[in-house]
Amino acid sequence: MPDDRDVPAEFDLPRGIALAWGVAASPQRGPKREMSVERIVDAAVELADAEGLGAVSMAAVAKRLGFTPMSLYRYVSAKDDLLLLMMEEGTGVPSHAWREADGWRERLLMLYRELVAVYARHPWLLQIPVTGSPATPNNSEWVEAGLTALDETPLLAEEKLAVWLIVTGLSRWNGIVLTGYGDAARRSGRTAAEVAADEQALYEALVTPEAYPRLHAAAEAGVFASPYDPFVFGIERALDGVEAYMASLDRGEPHRLADEVEVLEDADVADDKKYRQATKAAADAEKAVLQAEKVLRQARKAQAQALKEARARKRD
């Protein structure tokens, strides 16, 4: 963790953030020689790697270290702080390899691949809720790398951060799917390719051309068992869009930032009676549409089955 540094008095840092930056006060009592925040975090990460995030508790970590839970609380006072420090340790920092890549696009692609690899090593990271951008040293290193990769571009600061959010968001989604398939493969004793083949077979068996013509055609084309990586396609096309946007700026077109985050409900009128009634009516209508679509799918399925049986009778 970073060396101690001076923090302005007006900052009231949360305990976890202070621990991450190395500016938290050390406990006055406790097994100082044998215990440290670093040892606690290392033990928690080892436990999560071996048994998953659900196995991590203050009691379990204390047992792994050979101390009582109360001893841990002198160093890490809450489980949320422990999770933050675990995330900091598990995420690590980007390598220096991305700096050698040619151009902003290749640099971002390399950082994307490194993030996916982080999730593959520590899949439990994906189970920690995203409640904001953690102002911790390692997370700051990743953001700094992403923004540095875009140094020579015409993007505004807000746009550079938005591009970095695209990279991190797609890497996280890739990690979620990869770890999910990996878990399914381990539980069943099969390879990830075999799990995908089973998924392909299910779609072929259950999805009819009458009810789901496009999905059926995709299944027939073998997309669910294809070795083609859709996530690489996704990040490449996203960066295509960023590149096209940069080209428009080079042609003198204006930056196109959204003025504000769009919200689905206006807080100023949320308590208005007519507004609540209209909102409920819209929700009821959406529910009715979903129910009607379900009935339609069932009817189409019955129609397809009846057609199959009719053809069989005709052949007989």
Side-chain angles (χ1 to χ4, degrees), residues 241-283:
V242 173
E243 192 165 14
Y245 177 67
M246 290 184 189
S248 75
L249 298 177
D250 288 338
R251 293 193 299 269
E253 295 182 23
H255 293 268
R256 296 189 291 277
L257 280 173
D259 290 334
E260 59 185 21
V261 177
E262 181 181 357
V263 294
L264 298 180
E265 185 172 12
D266 191 332
D268 293 334
V269 298
D271 293 331
D272 183 85
K273 183 177 180 180
K274 288 186 177 180
Y275 175 75
R276 292 201 310 271
Q277 291 173 341
T279 300
K280 184 178 184 304

Side-chain angles (χ1 to χ4, degrees), residues 183-198:
D183 288 343
R186 281 189 295 274
R187 286 194 303 269
S188 63
R190 296 170 296 164
T191 65
E194 289 171 334
V195 171
D198 286 348

